[in-house]
Amino acid sequence: MGIADDKARSHVTSENKAMLAKLADALAAEAANWSEKQLEDAVRRFADANSLKLGQVAQPLRVALTGSTVSPGIFEMLAVLGPEESRTRLL
């Protein structure tokens, strides 16, 4: 999947790629309970544990999942894509 525009590309940094790889590992623990609510809680815990604001995680996550800075809700997207496809897109 390609990146839609320059705004989306600005979120593709080495720091964000490393953060998304750590997030992919954190979300792997949620595979048995893969639901919007569970995923939102997991992403919020990840942000808190890494001293990040939710937006610092959400926008790179959105770009990794969709290739754009505009999409349906990220937790909805994660739930629909499922654990395997989500992990693939995050890595």
Side-chain angles (χ1 to χ4, degrees):
M1 171 182 22
I3 302 298
D5 55 41
D6 288 338
K7 187 174 179 182
R9 278 186 202 87
S10 72
H11 293 284
V12 182
T13 65
S14 58
E15 293 85 10
N16 283 344
K17 287 180 182 181
M19 182 264 301
L20 290 172
K22 287 173 51 177
L23 178 60
D25 290 341
L27 292 179
E30 306 299 326
N33 300 309
W34 200 262
S35 69
E36 282 183 56
K37 176 66 175 135
Q38 189 67 23
L39 294 165
E40 179 176 357
D41 291 346
V43 171
R44 288 181 184 280
R45 282 192 310 271
F46 175 85
D48 288 343
N50 289 279
S51 301
L52 298 168
K53 294 182 180 180
L54 183 59
Q56 292 174 287
V57 177
Q59 273 304 80
L61 175 57
R62 182 181 315 279
V63 170
L65 293 174
T66 68
S68 177
T69 56
V70 179
S71 74
I74 56 172
F75 308 117
E76 179 183 352
M77 290 293 302
L78 285 166
V80 168
L81 290 171
E84 289 178 27
E85 181 63 22
S86 295
R87 183 171 179 81
T88 298
R89 292 184 185 202
L90 292 179
L91 299 176

